[in-house]
Amino acid sequence: MTARETLSSKEPMMSENRLVAETSPYLLQHKDNPVHWWPWGPEAFAEARASGKPVLLSVGYAACHWCHVMAHESFEDPLVAGVMNALFVNIKVDREERPDVDQIYMAALHQLGEQGGWPLTMFLDADGAPFWGGTYFPRTARYGRPGFTDVLQQVSQVYQESPDKIRQNRDAILARLEAAARPEGQAAIGLPELDRAAVQIAALFDRTHGGLRGAPKFPQCGLLELMWRAGGRGVDTTLRPTAAFTLNRMCEGGIYDHLGGGFARYSVDEAWLVPHFEKMLYDNAQLLELLALASVETGDPLFLQRARETVGWLAREMTTPDGAFSASLDADSDGHEGRFYVWTAREVEAVLGAEDAAYFGRFYDVTAEGNWEGAVILNRTAVGDVDAADEVRLAPMRAALLAEREKRVRPGLDDKVLADWNGLMIAALARAGSLLGEPGWIAQADRAFAAVARLMVRDGRLGHAYRDGKLVFPGLATDLAAMARAGIALHEATGDRAPLDAAEGFLDALERHHADPASGAYFLTADDADALVVRPLATMDEAQPNYHGVAAEALVRLSALTGRDDLRARADRILTALSGVAAKTALAHGALLNAIDARLILAEVAVVGAAAERFAAEAQRIPFLDRVLIRAGDAADLPAGSLARAQLDAAPPTGAAFVCRDGRCSLPLTAPELLAAAFARSTGTA
């Protein structure tokens, strides 16, 4: 029995809610519901077979506002719960703990022609096959949606009285799911195609507010990176400014927490004003990398400030006692969405006094009438650039308001540790810390990597989620790819060999347990994980970059760092296999396109000799998208296949650096200050 299947030895009676034995904060939010919830596992489906009832699957996560709404309206209501208990075997799933389960049934909902979202409400047969579903259902009919109890009764009736109809729905959905898990077709994608995709995507961006046009607005970090990469090649001089403008609008908008740091998951409006107030680790990881790149490219102090504030939030509110990072902060507190974060003009004046409140209000949109439901979401969207003198005066005011805010009822913290989300943040801290000269960020990354390795690796295999001594095991392709990326980034930042060795192990495990011989891609779940109704294989980005893109870039970097040509060949296999789907829908495949870009343009910067660390410090000032840093004390330390190895005879004993690209290397650079210019020449931008 795997840890995914483990239940507490304190087995509840049949009539009890079984979530009391779980450790997921989201599941524990529902442990006192009158619904007879089961956790996901074979026991629940055995009960469905024995009882002849269909399964009601409810998927959500701890920070989800509408999940809370449906819980309060329906799952806490004894009458609704009575209908659920009488007609269904009810399973509750934390989508963050079991993204494999969520991915299958969210894809099934899409096959039904429905728009996805959480809470996800799916109806399954006793074998786990989906036959119908939706998202949020109100207790009674409204918002153009049927009432939940009416839905329950109608679905149960059809299930019992029309099995042929259920079977027809089920078989059609499963056939489409299985077809979707078989990516087909290839396309030739080179730098011209990547540049063209970036230009086409940029044309879809909102010139007034940034981001893709319309609402709601999500950060879309993969697309911003794609534009940033292409913009560096000079094919369109508006690409990087367009991406930087979007970052600026997010940094000044209400989606950013101007007092505590960190970004909310998305904005419900087109101007980034009204956030969906939950804060997720993965968004802030991806944004931290972009802020670092934009800070160096533009010199705008706003980006550096937001990066520092976000890392401060991470250290203050999101770091577990073990040194790893928590998953999310809730949208709700004290029973209301956003209550922790919003203000009234009177509250601001009570903290700052009349004169300072008036000054503060001019910058942060504080008015008596408010800008959202009679309250104020702090934002600086309308004021333009804030000069240094104003920032000096505003900083203690923000600190005073933050101190006052800390007295409020806090949003719930989901403190489970997710290997994939931690991997994204560890890599971001290591990369941004190196580029911006922030050694403290690299130290945070190092502690978190060590914590994940200590808590979540069992018998050489990585788990997915850890909390309160319980490990969800085995891990997913997302975990192995992201933690490999993290280990590589840490090695480049520090020169420490241990995280690089761990990354190599993670990528070898990915190949051993997840590879699909038929397609050349990777299944999300391991070959020895719990059996699911289909084995998921995804190529599209969600809020996180797709694991194929993350893995492919990691394989390319690791090949350069270790000299293992088989790793580069593996990356080529993945990128070739998925090139067709990436070319057809570039908007949904930013991570894959970025990995192809890295495969084509990544340069090796090799630093050797006694002065290697001085050269390494200079190399780290080159943006991380464009280079992989190889350290070597002497020739023996360079990978056997390294392009720089053949040039070592020309290097002086004191040390040198080489920039290698497209099968050739620069002459040895004997002074660190020569490195930046040599790198620019290698790209053709000098």
Side-chain angles (χ1 to χ4, degrees):
M1 179 177 289
T2 70
R4 290 181 187 270
E5 298 170 336
T6 301
L7 292 175
S8 169
S9 58
K10 298 178 180 178
E11 187 70 13
M13 299 295 291
M14 284 294 296
S15 62
E16 293 182 5
N17 183 322
R18 294 166 180 256
L19 301 184
V20 67
E22 298 299 301
T23 58
S24 156
Y26 176 66
L27 298 184
L28 292 175
Q29 287 175 1
H30 295 272
K31 67 181 177 61
D32 296 320
N33 292 167
V35 179
H36 299 164
W37 291 118
W38 294 72
W40 180 272
E43 294 87 350
F45 290 100
E47 172 63 16
R49 286 190 290 274
S51 66
K53 297 177 182 179
V55 169
L56 188 158
L57 173 66
S58 177
V59 183
Y61 57 101
C64 170
H65 170 69
W66 285 101
C67 300
H68 301 328
V69 172
M70 191 166 178
H72 297 324
E73 289 180 349
S74 295
F75 304 150
E76 295 171 7
D77 186 310
L79 295 178
V80 177
V83 176
M84 294 172 67
N85 297 336
L87 301 180
F88 295 90
V89 173
N90 303 287
I91 299 177
K92 176 60 77 172
V93 165
D94 179 347
R95 70 171 291 256
E96 297 168 359
E97 188 175 72
R98 293 301 304 261
D100 50 341
V101 173
D102 175 66
Q103 187 175 107
I104 289 170
Y105 297 105
M106 187 63 73
L109 183 65
H110 293 157
Q111 296 298 339
L112 290 167
E114 297 288 333
Q115 187 174 356
W118 296 275
L120 174 63
T121 308
M122 292 298 293
F123 297 96
L124 324 177
D125 68 13
D127 295 320
F131 59 85
W132 194 72
T135 53
Y136 162 77
F137 290 100
R139 187 187 184 284
T140 56
R142 65 181 187 278
Y143 310 129
R145 297 172 182 263
F148 190 44
T149 51
D150 294 335
V151 169
L152 296 173
Q153 290 165 347
Q154 291 167 13
V155 170
S156 176
Q157 182 177 0
V158 173
Y159 187 83
Q160 301 300 337
E161 297 178 2
S162 304
D164 289 344
K165 192 172 188 179
I166 296 296
R167 189 160 44 249
Q168 182 179 0
N169 270 25
R170 178 199 65 191
D171 292 347
I173 293 170
L174 287 178
R176 290 197 290 267
L177 289 177
E178 288 167 356
R182 293 192 299 269
E184 296 179 354
Q186 297 178 11
I189 302 178
L191 292 180
E193 288 76 23
L194 292 170
D195 293 342
R196 188 159 51 248
V199 170
Q200 290 170 348
I201 288 168
L204 303 176
F205 270 55
D206 183 337
R207 301 300 172 180
T208 302
H209 304 294
L212 290 172
R213 289 194 290 266
K217 269 188 163 67
F218 290 83
Q220 299 285 2
C221 294
L223 301 183
L224 293 174
E225 181 182 326
L226 183 67
M227 292 159 57
W228 198 264
R229 285 176 174 274
R233 290 189 281 273
V235 293
D236 186 328
T237 57
T238 69
L239 288 174
R240 283 192 172 179
T242 299
F245 177 67
T246 293
L247 282 175
N248 175 281
R249 295 295 80 195
M250 284 192 281
C251 286
E252 299 289 43
I255 192 174
Y256 183 73
D257 180 357
H258 290 266
L259 300 184
F263 293 84
R265 190 163 76 93
Y266 67 90
S267 169
V268 303
D269 65 301
E270 65 177 2
W272 305 104
L273 171 64
V274 182
H276 196 48
F277 289 91
E278 63 206 39
K279 290 184 185 178
M280 317 301 289
L281 185 66
Y282 57 75
D283 287 318
N284 286 279
Q286 295 171 85
L287 285 164
L288 178 59
E289 289 195 9
L290 291 170
L291 289 170
L293 292 168
S295 173
V296 169
E297 170 74 13
T298 67
D300 188 338
L302 175 68
F303 296 132
L304 179 59
Q305 180 181 348
R306 293 293 182 262
R308 286 174 170 162
E309 291 167 348
T310 296
V311 175
W313 161 76
L314 181 73
R316 186 180 65 251
E317 300 186 34
M318 299 297 287
T319 303
T320 72
D322 294 304
F325 302 121
S326 298
S328 65
L329 280 170
D330 206 329
D332 295 13
S333 60
D334 203 21
H336 296 272
E337 183 182 16
R339 173 168 287 184
F340 183 73
Y341 297 102
V342 300
W343 296 82
T344 65
R346 185 171 296 178
E347 288 171 334
V348 171
E349 183 174 338
V351 175
L352 300 181
E355 182 180 346
D356 281 353
Y359 178 82
F360 183 87
R362 290 198 299 273
F363 288 91
Y364 287 95
D365 194 20
V366 181
T367 61
E369 62 274 14
N371 53 28
W372 178 67
E373 298 184 356
V376 173
I377 298 170
L378 299 179
N379 75 95
R380 299 198 319 198
T381 301
V383 297
D385 293 337
V386 177
D387 65 31
D390 286 322
E391 277 292 355
V392 168
R393 185 173 173 187
L394 289 167
M397 298 181 192
R398 291 194 300 266
L401 290 168
L402 178 63
E404 182 65 24
R405 195 177 78 177
E406 288 298 304
K407 301 174 185 177
R408 298 176 177 177
V409 176
R410 293 191 58 80
L413 172 69
D414 187 331
D415 60 355
K416 67 176 175 290
V417 177
L418 298 170
D420 48 0
W421 297 10
N422 269 257
L424 293 176
M425 182 56 83
I426 292 164
L429 287 166
R431 288 176 161 187
S434 295
L435 185 61
L436 299 177
E438 295 281 356
W441 300 4
I442 300 170
Q444 281 180 265
D446 193 42
R447 285 193 297 272
F449 191 90
V452 172
R454 184 175 66 254
L455 299 172
M456 302 183 70
V457 174
R458 178 194 297 168
D459 299 326
R461 299 277 299 280
L462 180 64
H464 170 64
Y466 175 86
R467 185 177 186 270
D468 197 22
K470 180 180 177 181
L471 179 66
V472 176
F473 185 88
L476 304 165
T478 53
D479 302 305
L480 294 165
M483 282 299 293
R485 184 175 190 260
I488 292 164
L490 259 182
H491 171 74
E492 289 194 67
T494 66
D496 185 3
R497 181 76 195 192
L500 188 69
D501 291 340
E504 194 169 1
F506 293 147
L507 289 174
D508 285 345
L510 182 66
E511 182 71 10
R512 190 164 56 252
H513 292 287
H514 295 261
D516 175 19
S519 69
Y522 290 124
F523 289 111
L524 177 62
T525 54
D527 53 6
D528 56 351
D530 300 348
L532 298 170
V533 66
V534 295
R535 192 175 178 193
L537 189 157
T539 65
M540 293 191 294
D541 296 337
E542 297 178 351
Q544 306 168 67
N546 180 264
Y547 59 89
H548 285 102
V550 176
E553 189 207 357
L555 286 162
V556 170
R557 287 180 178 271
L558 188 62
S559 176
L561 289 162
T562 62
R564 284 182 58 184
D565 291 337
D566 64 305
L567 298 176
R568 187 178 289 107
R570 201 184 297 171
D572 289 344
R573 184 196 77 208
I574 297 163
L575 296 174
T576 299
L578 302 180
S579 59
V581 295
K584 287 178 184 176
T585 51
L587 270 174
H589 289 92
L592 274 168
L593 296 175
N594 289 327
I596 294 172
D597 194 300
R599 173 66 178 90
L600 294 172
I601 63 94
L602 195 67
E604 298 177 16
V605 178
V607 298
V608 299
E613 282 308 311
R614 287 200 300 118
F615 286 100
E618 188 67 24
Q620 287 173 342
R621 297 174 62 182
I622 298 170
F624 46 80
L625 295 182
D626 303 326
R627 54 86 181 149
V628 57
L629 173 58
I630 304 171
R631 290 176 170 84
D634 55 43
D637 293 333
L638 275 175
S642 170
L643 294 171
R645 194 160 189 165
Q647 305 289 327
L648 285 177
D649 290 342
T654 53
F658 301 87
V659 178
C660 303
R661 186 194 298 272
D662 297 330
R664 60 184 182 273
C665 292
S666 68
L667 294 172
L669 305 166
T670 56
E673 58 269 21
L674 300 175
L675 186 51
F679 189 90
R681 286 195 298 273
S682 78
T683 66
T685 59

